Amino acid sequence: MLPAEVVELMKELGVFPVVLGTSDREGNIHLAFITWIHPMSDRVLRFALSSNAKSSKNVQETGRVSIILFAPGKALSCYGSAKVVLDRIEEVKFPVSVFEMEIEKVEDNLFPGATITGIIPFAHTGNLEKVSELDMLVIEAMKKA
């Protein structure tokens, strides 16, 4: 299960950068950097992806996912299964699907003598007003799905 302080941080920030790992039927691994993720509990995460993305197709094929997240003092790998909970967010102009991950195992990958001082730093570029509006639409849809 995820530590309570990580769950609260993810909720507080709204968009939270993580690395999503998926695999296809042949076992080929695909990694993607995503920010549309929301904790429903300490054992359930929802995330949204472009419906046409390789990660989206892999989740639909195999249902196996892993998420690596970084938070102050934490480097956590979460493993589990995921399924589609919303085929398409209607309010978004391009196809975005919502998935729900059931966390089966969490590993602390922070090695001795090291610490993480924050989350992965990132910034939106381009039209910040439109990006913020899109983020809000997707996050609200993930919460409701």
Side-chain angles (χ1 to χ4, degrees), residues 91-103:
E91 297 83 4
V92 176
K93 294 179 182 173
F94 59 95
V96 175
S97 301
V98 177
F99 300 86
E100 186 169 274
M101 175 189 186
E102 183 78 29
I103 298 171

Side-chain angles (χ1 to χ4, degrees), residues 52-80:
N52 301 321
K54 176 81 173 146
S55 296
S56 179
K57 292 177 185 346
N58 285 349
V59 174
Q60 292 178 53
E61 276 185 19
T62 68
R64 302 302 301 162
V65 297
S66 60
I67 291 176
I68 301 172
L69 60 88
F70 301 95
K74 309 274 186 223
L76 303 174
S77 294
C78 307
Y79 303 94

Side-chain angles (χ1 to χ4, degrees), residues 15-87:
V15 291
F16 191 88
V18 300
V19 177
L20 171 70
T22 62
S23 65
D24 62 21
R25 285 189 190 119
E26 289 77 40
N28 299 307
I29 296 169
H30 181 72
L31 299 174
F33 179 79
I34 67 170
T35 59
W36 291 334
I37 188 162
H38 180 75
M40 300 304 289
S41 71
D42 61 357
R43 297 180 188 272
V44 176
L45 297 173
R46 285 199 180 154
F47 57 93
L49 303 168
S50 169
S51 303
N52 301 321
K54 176 81 173 146
S55 296
S56 179
K57 292 177 185 346
N58 285 349
V59 174
Q60 292 178 53
E61 276 185 19
T62 68
R64 302 302 301 162
V65 297
S66 60
I67 291 176
I68 301 172
L69 60 88
F70 301 95
K74 309 274 186 223
L76 303 174
S77 294
C78 307
Y79 303 94
S81 57
K83 62 182 179 185
V84 176
V85 292
L86 183 63
D87 287 321

